[in-house]
């Protein structure tokens, strides 16, 4: 009996120590992978930043008018942002590799699913981010134009613009991750939204001045003699 | 006595290169400090070598010399300082032997107040000579006539204390004007002309010709009656002495000056006065506009007529035929020293005017020789002589010719103090530096260069007789024109600026021709449809013969 | 765009033909076929009359006119000077005409003129608007003489104006520039100005011509650059300025966006200069300044006030981002006043403008939005100003404007503080 217990104990311990012996290197491997991943990610980030700097990525954005849309103080520069994002994606990937190196089956499945989702999430995030910016921008542009054109309800107008764009953007983002399958509403929203996005983009970016003038004409027909021939210059 | 014009072309003066000389200033053969006809005759070889083929003699008649001989006291004799009438005949014969013609001065607008005619006329109100001059009891007649010598004269009338009345004078008060309303005066003038034509003189320069006749309420210039006088004299000269010509001194705008050609029946030649200041202006402004403007404004001439072209002469560089603005500009640029200004002009020679810049001297002579008209060289300018503004009036440009670096510049063996005017002796223009002898030795001296230029000028009739067509390249600092006569064409390109210039000429009309540079004889690339590109150094110019080969 | 390809070969040829010039008159054109001939004539006569000896060239820099302006310019024959002047000109006058890089707008036009000035080695250069009806040859003299003869480097114009004309200049541009840069110039946005050759070379070196604000604000930039560069300044009295009527001009909001935007941009460019400058100098005036009553302008003041009120109310969320809470609070309070009691005092106005400038500098939101948000407040200020000075004579008004200038100067430290504050 005692022998059995001892044997079992020894076996179990042996097994355990074998498992531990087996697991420890994996853990070590995981740690190493994570650490190396961190370093690799950092290097990738540094290189990427250099490359972006070299490519004048920021000014590219600037000329596209996107930097202007973002409040300067709230966000780092676009190249910095992208570099950081890539850093985290690379590192998290390494972490997951590391975890899968542990050999836990259930985890591995989840991880592979995560890997499939990564690009989708990434794209969705970008859509959401840019979309919200655009919504914000377009709404403010509408508000200002409406006020300067002395139209009746600027805030309402601006709210409508913002609402439509946000709905559209959220729908697009969810669609990306695959959470809103087959909903007719979504299809409709996309259709309607695309229309409005087009308009909003046109108003917001394509021809800010033209759009403003159209707006003013549209909403302030009675505004003709507003300045009364006064020359401000 | 041989006379080259009898066997030559009656339009010989169109190809003439004139040399203006003062007998007094050229060469002294009898050591009295004053040049004379025997001396001039000795130097004819020099003039022939230079290439001049017509000599224009300034007045050499007996005169009190208050206006450098333009105040004549006897029309049919020679001033004793310059020799005798026989000396003159000898000189004339020598000149004719060398194929050179001689042009003398016919100063018949006025006489000296020492002339016997005037002495008689002033003697009493009813003297037969009285009517040979223009008299008045008041100064109120002919008020509209301007005063020419603004620096010295206040009125065109002068008081004669002997006959107690005023006499008319357009120039100095010692030069009373002859009265051309009197037929006897006209007849006497013809007699004077006949006298000299018989001796063999080839041409006359009619001094002060616009002022011959006076009429009330006019400027008393360029009157129809004056033209009638000229026509009369010309007709009689042509009838009796063919092949001679008259040169009008009419300091007028081209539109008015051209009237002195009549319809080919007055003077054959007239000075182009307005062009000369504009050439100086163009070089200073570095802009061709002044030259082109005035030449485009110049009317066409009758077939047998010719412009007389000059850069400088024995008078001041006259600025009457320019606008006030242009005159101010020329004064500021060419006569900063007020002393060099006289009347409405600048009393300087060519070289000092151009700051002794050889390149500009060459350019100006090049333009002179290549424009239509017969060029006139003022004595001394062919060697770049200087002037002396301190000797008064216009005498500064009438100093003795500088022959060599020796005693009195080789002009005279008299004592230096005895010379009629002191020699130029400063280190830059003085005779030790600037003289014929030293320049003759070097092929690149200005004298040698002038000789080559004159040879080129005389190598073709296109310069004297051809048409003129301006090219208008966008670069306004380049003055370019084509002279054309028959199938002979010469392209002239002048850089008026002090810096190198590129110019693109539209020569499509001459497509296929080969420009041959006339000084060196080298062919240039053939003219094609493209604009013809030339580059010119500072003040550089080219003459191209456009040949179809 | 690299420098060597900026000028067309054809234009370079024209410059080569002109060679060298002492004076250059530049005209930036865009669809000015109706007035360009008159303008060029006036310039030609002015140059010949007042600078007969100088070598002069006129440069027409066209931004892609579709009404044949450029062809018209090329066909303008020199005027018959004999009917206008005592004498014909001494020299050839060159009129150079070229289309410029149209996508740069007026920046391209100025760049072309500067390049021409540089290549022609001019001593003085003037710029004249092509659409003036009141321009006379005397303007050329007025603009160029101080540069050519008095050794001044930059000449701003002074126009004869009605007392309520040009309020954007009087309320913002001129006093703000005076306070910041330390030079009192009445018209920092004159369409006619002149500058020396060395200043033109300085302009050439700046890399701004493709910038958006140069489209409308080139004059402000030129004025402030001359100040910041330590160049000698002058002003020249020209007389009344009447533009030919033109459709498609900018409205008030657009104008403010362009012109005030240009000024704020310049403040950013020159911040090292103006932040350390602490004195204010008067700028000498050349020419005879006369006073004459000009036709009054019609203004619907009440409507302006109403638009101010709407603006303050509706743009609260935007103004929140731009203005300090204190300033915003005060504005909100006066917006509640009735039309008769309403007054937007100098100190509040100056503070507002400074806060806008600083917010612009920090780009707290899109810069165009910041400038647009200024429009309703400017309307309020004008409404208040017109109300107060309805009866005021020219002298009284002068005092008022002087007080405003002083206010701008005294508050400059506030601008520096807001400007330098990190976000």
């Amino acid at each position: 009996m005692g022998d059995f217990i001892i044997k079992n104990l020894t076996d179990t311990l042996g097994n355990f120590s074998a498992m531990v012996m087996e697991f420890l290197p994996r853990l070590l491997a995981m740690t190493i992978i994570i650490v190396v991943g961190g370093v690799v990610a950092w290097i990738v980030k540094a290189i990427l930043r250099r490359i972006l700097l070299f490519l004048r990525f920021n000014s590219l954005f600037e000329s596209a008018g996107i930097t202007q849309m973002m409040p300067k103080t709230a966000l780092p520069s676009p190249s910095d942002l992208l570099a950081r994002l890539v850093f985290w994606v690379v590192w998290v990937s390494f972490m997951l590799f590391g975890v899968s190196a542990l050999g836990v089956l259930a985890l591995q499945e989840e991880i592979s699913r995560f890997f499939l989702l990564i690009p989708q999430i990434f794209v969705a995030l970008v859509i959401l981010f840019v979309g919200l910016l655009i919504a914000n921008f377009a709404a403010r542009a509408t508000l200002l134009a409406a006020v300067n054109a002395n139209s009746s309800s600027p805030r309402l107008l601006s709210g409508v613009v913002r609402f439509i764009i946000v709905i559209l953007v959220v729908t697009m983002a969810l669609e990306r991750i695959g959470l809103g399958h087959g909903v007719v509403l979504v299809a409709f929203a996309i259709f309607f939204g695309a229309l409005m996005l087009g308009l909003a983009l046109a108003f917001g970016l394509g021809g800010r001045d033209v759009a403003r003038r159209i707006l003013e004409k549209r909403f302030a027909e009675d505004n003709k003699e507003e300045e009364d021939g006064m020359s401000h210059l | 006595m041989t006379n080259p014009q009898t066997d030559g072309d009656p339009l010989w003066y169109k190809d003439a290169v004139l040399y203006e000389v003062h007998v007094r200033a050229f060469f002294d053969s009898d050591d009295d400090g004053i040049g004379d006809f025997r001396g001039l005759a000795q130097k004819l070889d020099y003039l022939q070598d230079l290439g001049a083929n017509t000599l224009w003699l300034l007045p050499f008649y007996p005169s009190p010399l208050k206006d450098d001989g333009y105040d004549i006291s006897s029309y049919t004799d020679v001033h004793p300082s310059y020799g005798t009438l026989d000396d003159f005949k000898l000189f004339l014969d020598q000149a004719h032997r060398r194929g050179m013609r001689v042009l003398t001065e016919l100063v018949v607008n006025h006489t000296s107040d020492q002339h016997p005619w005037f002495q008689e006329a002033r003697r009493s109100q009813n003297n037969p000579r009285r009517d040979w001059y223009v008299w008045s009891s008041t100064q109120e007649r002919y008020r509209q006539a301007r005063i020419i010598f603004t620096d010295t004269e206040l009125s065109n009338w002068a008081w004669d204390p002997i006959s107690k009345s005023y006499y008319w004078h357009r120039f100095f008060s010692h030069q009373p004007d002859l009265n051309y309303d009197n037929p006897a005066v006209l007849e006497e003038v013809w007699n004077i002309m006949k006298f000299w034509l018989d001796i063999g003189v080839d041409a006359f320069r009619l001094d002060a010709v616009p002022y011959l006749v006076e009429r009330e309420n006019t400027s008393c210039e360029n009157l129809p009656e004056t033209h009638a006088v000229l026509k009369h004299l010309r007709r009689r000269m042509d009838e009796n002495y063919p092949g001679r010509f008259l040169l009008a001194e009419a300091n007028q705008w081209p539109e008015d000056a051209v009237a002195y050609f009549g319809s080919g029946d007055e003077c054959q030649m007239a000075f182009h006065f307005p062009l000369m200041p504009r050439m100086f202006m163009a070089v200073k402004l570095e802009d061709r506009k002044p030259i082109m403007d005035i030449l485009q404004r110049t009317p066409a001439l009758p077939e047998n007529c010719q412009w007389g072209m000059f850069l400088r002469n024995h008078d001041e560089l006259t600025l009457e035929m320019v606008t006030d603005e242009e005159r101010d500009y020329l004064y500021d640029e060419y006569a900063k020293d007020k002393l060099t200004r006289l009347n409405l002009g600048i009393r300087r020679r060519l070289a000092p005017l151009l700051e002794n810049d050889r390149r500009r001297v060459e350019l100006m002579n090049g333009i002179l020789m290549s424009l239509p008209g017969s060029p006139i060289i003022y004595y001394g300018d062919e060697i770049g002589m200087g002037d002396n503004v301190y000797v008064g009036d216009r005498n500064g440009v009438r100093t003795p010719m500088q022959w060599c670096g020796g005693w009195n510049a080789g002009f005279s063996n008299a004592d230096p103090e005895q010379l009629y005017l002191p020699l130029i002796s400063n280190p830059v223009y003085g005779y030790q530096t600037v003289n014929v002898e030293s320049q003759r030795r070097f092929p690149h001296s200005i004298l040698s260069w002038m000789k080559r230029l004159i040879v080129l000028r005389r190598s073709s009739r296109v310069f004297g007789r051809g048409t003129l067509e301006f090219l208008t390249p966008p670069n306004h600092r380049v003055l370019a024109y084509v002279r054309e006569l028959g199938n002979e064409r010469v392209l002239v390109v002048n850089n008026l600026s002090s810096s190198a210039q590129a110019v693109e000429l539209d020569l499509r009309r001459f497509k296929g021709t080969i420009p041959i540079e006339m000084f060196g004889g080298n062919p240039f690339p053939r003219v094609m449809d493209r604009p013809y590109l030339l580059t010119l150094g500072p003040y550089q110019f080219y003459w191209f013969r456009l040949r179809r080969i | 765009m690299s420098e060597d390809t900026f000028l067309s070969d054809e234009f370079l040829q024209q410059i080569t033909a002109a060679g060298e010039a002492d004076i250059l008159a530049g005209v930036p054109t865009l669809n000015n076929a109706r007035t360009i001939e008159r303008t060029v004539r006036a310039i030609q006569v002015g140059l010949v009359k007042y600078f007969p000896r100088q070598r002069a060239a006129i440069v027409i820099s066209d931004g892609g006119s579709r009404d044949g302006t450029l062809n018209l310019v090329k066909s303008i024959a020199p005027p018959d000077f004999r009917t206008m002047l005592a004498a014909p000109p001494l020299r050839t006058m060159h009129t150079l005409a070229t289309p410029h890089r149209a996508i740069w707008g007026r920046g391209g036009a100025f760049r072309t003129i500067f390049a021409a000035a540089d290549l022609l080695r001019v001593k003085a250069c003037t710029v004249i608007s092509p659409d003036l009806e009141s321009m006379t040859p005397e303007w050329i003299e007025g603009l160029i003489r101080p540069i050519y003869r008095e050794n001044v480097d930059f000449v701003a114009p002074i126009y004869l104006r009605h007392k309520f004309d040009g309020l954007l200049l009087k309320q913002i541009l001129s006093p703000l520039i005076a306070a910041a840069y330390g030079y009192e110039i009445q018209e920092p946005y004159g369409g006619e100005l002149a500058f020396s050759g060395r200043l033109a070379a300085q302009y050439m070196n700046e890399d701004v011509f493709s910038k958006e604000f140069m489209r409308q604000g080139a004059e402000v930039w030129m004025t402030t650059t001359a100040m910041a560069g330590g160049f000698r300044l002058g002003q020249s009295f020209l007389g009344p300025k009447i533009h030919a009527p033109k459709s498609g001009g900018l409205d008030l909001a657009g104008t403010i966006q362009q012109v005030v935007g240009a000024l704020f941009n310049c403040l950013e460019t020159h911040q090292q200069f103006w932040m350390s400058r602490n004195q204010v100098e008067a700028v000498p005036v050349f020419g005879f300044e006369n006073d004459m009553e000009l036709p009054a302008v019609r203004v619907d003041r009440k409507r302006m006030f109403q638009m101010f009120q709407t603006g303050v109310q509706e743009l609260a969320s935007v103004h929140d981002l731009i203005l300090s809470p204190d300033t915003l609070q005060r504005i909100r309070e006066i917006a509640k006043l009735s039309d008769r009691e309403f007054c937007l005092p100098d100190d509040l106005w100056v503070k507002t403008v400074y806060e806008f400038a600083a917010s612009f500098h920090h780009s707290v939101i899109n810069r165009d939005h910041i400038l647009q948000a200024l429009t309703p407040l400017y309307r309020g200020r004008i409404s208040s100003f017109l109300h107060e000075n309805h009866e005021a004579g020219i002298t009284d008004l002068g005092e008022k404007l002087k007080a405003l200038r002083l206010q701008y100067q005294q508050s400059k430290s506030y601008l520096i503080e807001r400007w330098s504050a990190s976000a």
Side-chain angles (χ1 to χ4, degrees), chain A residues 70-130:
Chain A
M70 302 191 243
K72 228 185 206 170
T73 46
L75 281 174
S77 72
S79 64
D80 211 32
L81 206 66
L82 190 67
R84 275 195 218 177
L85 196 67
V86 168
F87 170 78
W88 281 108
V89 168
V90 172
W91 201 19
V92 167
S93 306
F94 269 97
M95 281 183 196
L96 293 176
F97 278 129
V99 172
S100 70
L102 286 178
V104 184
L105 257 160
L107 269 176
Q108 271 173 344
E109 219 165 278
E110 284 300 314
I111 287 164
S112 61
R113 271 186 62 197
F114 171 80
F115 270 113
L116 283 176
L117 258 179
I118 282 184
Q120 306 300 327
I121 292 172
F122 187 75
V123 172
L125 275 176
V126 170
I127 290 176
L128 207 60
F129 173 71
V130 173

Side-chain angles (χ1 to χ4, degrees), chain C residues 49-77:
Chain C
K49 190 170 174 185
Y50 295 103
F51 301 95
R53 295 189 188 177
Q54 280 68 34
R55 292 165 296 185
I58 301 174
V59 171
I60 314 291
S61 181
D62 188 79
S65 297
R66 270 179 245 139
D67 63 352
T69 303
L70 206 53
N71 289 330
L72 194 71
V73 168
K74 287 176 180 162
S75 68
I76 295 178

Side-chain angles (χ1 to χ4, degrees), chain A residues 82-233:
Chain A
L82 190 67
R84 275 195 218 177
L85 196 67
V86 168
F87 170 78
W88 281 108
V89 168
V90 172
W91 201 19
V92 167
S93 306
F94 269 97
M95 281 183 196
L96 293 176
F97 278 129
V99 172
S100 70
L102 286 178
V104 184
L105 257 160
L107 269 176
Q108 271 173 344
E109 219 165 278
E110 284 300 314
I111 287 164
S112 61
R113 271 186 62 197
F114 171 80
F115 270 113
L116 283 176
L117 258 179
I118 282 184
Q120 306 300 327
I121 292 172
F122 187 75
V123 172
L125 275 176
V126 170
I127 290 176
L128 207 60
F129 173 71
V130 173
L132 287 177
L133 279 181
I134 290 174
N136 208 15
F137 182 83
R140 202 164 57 219
T142 315
L143 180 69
L144 283 161
V147 165
N148 282 332
N150 205 16
S151 66
S152 44
S153 41
R155 263 183 295 184
L156 179 66
L157 205 66
S158 135
V160 168
V161 169
R162 184 198 302 272
F163 179 72
I164 290 171
I165 298 176
V166 167
I167 287 285
L168 176 82
V169 165
V170 169
T171 317
M172 277 172 75
L174 291 179
E175 172 68 31
R176 238 330 107 192
I177 323 178
L179 289 180
H181 287 293
V183 184
V184 184
L185 184 73
V186 172
F188 171 74
I190 287 174
F191 170 72
F192 181 69
L195 190 78
M196 288 312 285
L197 177 68
L199 275 177
L201 278 178
F203 275 51
L205 294 170
R208 279 172 288 184
D209 291 343
V210 182
R212 182 165 40 71
R213 231 170 280 150
I214 291 173
L215 268 181
E216 283 172 10
K217 258 208 192 117
R218 188 102 198 85
F219 297 113
E221 235 111 60
D222 56 331
N223 213 13
K224 289 254 160 65
E225 287 186 45
E226 177 235 333
E227 248 71 66
D228 290 326
M230 185 174 191
S231 165
H232 294 269
L233 283 171

